[in-house]
Amino acid sequence: MGFRRGGERIAPFFLPLLVLALVAPNFILVRSAANILEASHSENIAYAICIWALVFAVVPRLWMGLVVVAVCSLWWPLEVFLRLNFAQSVTPTFVGMAMDTDVREASEFLVSAGWTALLPAVLFVGAAIVLGRHLYRRRSKWTHRSRRWVLFAVPTILTALMLSHAEMGDANAATEPFANRAGSMAAVFATVYPLDLPLSAIWVHRDASVIRQLRAKLNDFDFEPKLADSHPDTVVLVIGESSRSDRWQLFGYGRKTTPRLTSMSDLILFPDVATQSVATRYAVPNLISRRPVLTSDGKVALSAEPSILAALKQVGYRTSWLSNQGVGGFYESPIAMYAGDADEAIYLNPTSYDARGTYDEALLAPLRRRLDTEGRKFIVLHTLGSHFDFSHRYPSSFDIYRPSLTTVPAQDGIKQNTSLAAQISNAYDNSIQYTDSLLSQVIEAVDHKGDAAVVMYISDHGQDVFDEQCNAKSITRASSHSFIVPALIWSSAKAKLRIGDRLSALSDSRTRPKVANGVPQTLLDLVGVATPSEARTSSWFDQQHGPRKVYSAQGWTDFDKSAARDACEIKP
């Protein structure tokens, strides 16, 4: 590298050292849900080097490049922390969490990260300022012909890479309001520091704009609700993830996967509930809105309405959405759109669903704080439950059934590796036992307050886990096991006195076949919220129900007829 003036002996040494330090986070591996690298180790490093070379080539006055260095160094400690502790770079999930989480929750995360992590940022910024001041005074510039080569070669290489990565979307891309960026070059760059933070911020902003547009016609929606005199003080809805009924001890499984819940006598169990979709982004809205904006086939509904969070807010309930999942992205945004109906939405996981993030127990402390508040409360807990990688969903103390995935080294194609079927199955059962622990603590926390309270749990969808009877060769969501989900209701002693007749009616109907998209109307009926009859949808209180229509990868189908035909593949 050549300089116009000959006095810069220090710059040629310290400038590369600073840039090398800023490339360093890319040496830390980033993994996906399948325990594989999002981008190869060498790719991340190469991209980072190209980026910094381009920065200094575009702005030949070196002190200007140091300004960029100083800015990017601000989130260097955060980058290293996330990569070392969660094997993920900064993601839209983290950016969304930082934007939507209140001061108390954010400060707790900073404390867990350690305030001393700010020291490297201070050192980086200080070094960049000192060096930049020196280069500014010397009017140092990159004048060597290598600059021209960088200006030509790097954009050419990056353009070629972008052209080689075709944008991927799902089958409903033409009607989907949210962009599916999986497989794009941008998604690859989103794992490279320092591009990950600005890209994540842009995507969160774009998704937030789409959410605002979709919500625009819902903001003034009036449920015209009327609250019955007899109603619970506290209602908690726990939304599970990827949990199937037949792996729960409560529903007849041979292993003790739900020992704590099994010991409870005040539970109403629903053994035959079919989810309408095995995709979380469609399944969860079905649990909280009678008429979701996005239907299970990925289309935008013209007759949509807000979630029951909005309905309960209109009758005086303080509503909270506490999530251990993400706030932005192709898979999370359709859910976050409804979380916006709550008085407050708190996100507690700094990583995305496909990484090792915080355990679901992170929801307990915020739950207890909200239970301590006065007045009526409706609280939704959105958990990560049993989302793959199953071993990421529970601490080591719950690694009961072994060998599990905790003993499996990182490798490509783990979801299709039949030789690991036992490890994957054991890890899945361990994740359910952890859900059992979480649910029992939620119930204990609610019961401790002594209110007239109800807790409902239901999983968004199930999961195929190398099922032998179906000769499954991978982890999929095709069989009836992915559609039949666990569901239960617990009620306090005071709730039984106030709404005992409604609880008894639900208990009497517990064995009848049900569809998960009946949950919103069921909760309104259980709480005692009446809306105009023409707005009413199907409820678990109804004596009769029509065919259980579900949406599989091939289209809409009658679940029971399809399962009778071939339980290993639900299809029209």
Side-chain angles (χ1 to χ4, degrees), residues 213-235:
Q213 293 171 13
L214 292 174
R215 287 184 55 84
K217 67 176 183 178
L218 304 180
N219 289 335
D220 298 325
F221 187 92
D222 187 359
F223 281 90
E224 302 178 42
K226 295 181 180 180
L227 182 63
D229 292 335
S230 299
H231 54 264
D233 303 310
T234 300
V235 181

Side-chain angles (χ1 to χ4, degrees), residues 76-292:
W76 186 93
L78 174 65
E79 189 79 35
V80 172
F81 174 81
L82 291 175
R83 287 172 179 258
L84 287 177
N85 288 274
F86 300 105
Q88 270 216 332
S89 59
V90 174
T91 63
T93 295
F94 179 84
V95 173
M97 183 198 77
M99 293 174 60
D100 282 27
T101 297
D102 66 16
V103 175
R104 179 166 186 174
E105 318 297 344
S107 63
E108 288 180 352
F109 174 76
L110 287 174
V111 170
S112 69
W115 290 101
T116 54
L118 295 175
L119 181 60
V122 174
L123 293 176
F124 270 130
V125 173
I129 291 174
V130 171
L131 183 55
R133 183 170 177 268
H134 171 76
L135 295 174
Y136 175 76
R137 284 182 171 181
R138 297 289 184 177
R139 299 296 189 269
S140 299
K141 297 181 70 175
W142 184 358
T143 58
H144 192 271
R145 62 177 177 271
S146 58
R147 174 175 172 264
R148 291 191 293 274
W149 281 105
V150 168
L151 284 172
F152 171 76
V154 172
T156 301
I157 294 171
L158 295 181
T159 300
L161 288 169
M162 289 178 187
L163 291 175
S164 68
H165 283 73
E167 289 282 354
M168 295 174 62
D170 68 6
N172 302 301
T175 58
E176 275 286 358
F178 298 102
N180 185 359
R181 305 176 182 97
S184 67
M185 192 64 216
V188 175
F189 281 155
T191 65
V192 179
Y193 170 80
L195 293 182
D196 49 4
L197 179 60
L199 280 175
S200 295
I202 290 169
W203 292 348
V204 168
H205 174 72
R206 287 180 179 176
D207 287 342
S209 297
V210 174
I211 288 175
R212 284 193 296 271
Q213 293 171 13
L214 292 174
R215 287 184 55 84
K217 67 176 183 178
L218 304 180
N219 289 335
D220 298 325
F221 187 92
D222 187 359
F223 281 90
E224 302 178 42
K226 295 181 180 180
L227 182 63
D229 292 335
S230 299
H231 54 264
D233 303 310
T234 300
V235 181
V236 177
L237 171 63
V238 184
I239 300 175
E241 170 70 58
S242 303
S243 197
R244 51 190 271 186
S245 291
D246 71 327
R247 289 299 189 99
W248 283 50
Q249 178 188 359
L250 269 176
F251 295 98
Y253 189 43
R255 280 181 165 178
K256 296 181 179 180
T257 52
T258 57
R260 296 163 183 81
L261 292 174
T262 300
S263 66
M264 295 183 179
S265 58
D266 297 327
L267 300 178
I268 302 174
L269 305 180
F270 302 94
D272 192 9
V273 179
T275 182
Q276 194 175 70
S277 172
V278 292
T280 298
R281 65 196 307 269
Y282 303 129
V284 172
N286 278 329
L287 300 177
I288 55 177
S289 175
R290 298 186 299 186
R291 297 177 179 86

Side-chain angles (χ1 to χ4, degrees), residues 256-260 397-398 400-401 428-438:
K256 296 181 179 180
T257 52
T258 57
R260 296 163 183 81
S397 58
F398 283 84
I400 308 300
Y401 299 110
Y428 186 72
D429 286 348
N430 291 334
S431 70
I432 292 176
Q433 188 163 122
Y434 180 67
T435 295
D436 170 69
S437 174
L438 176 80

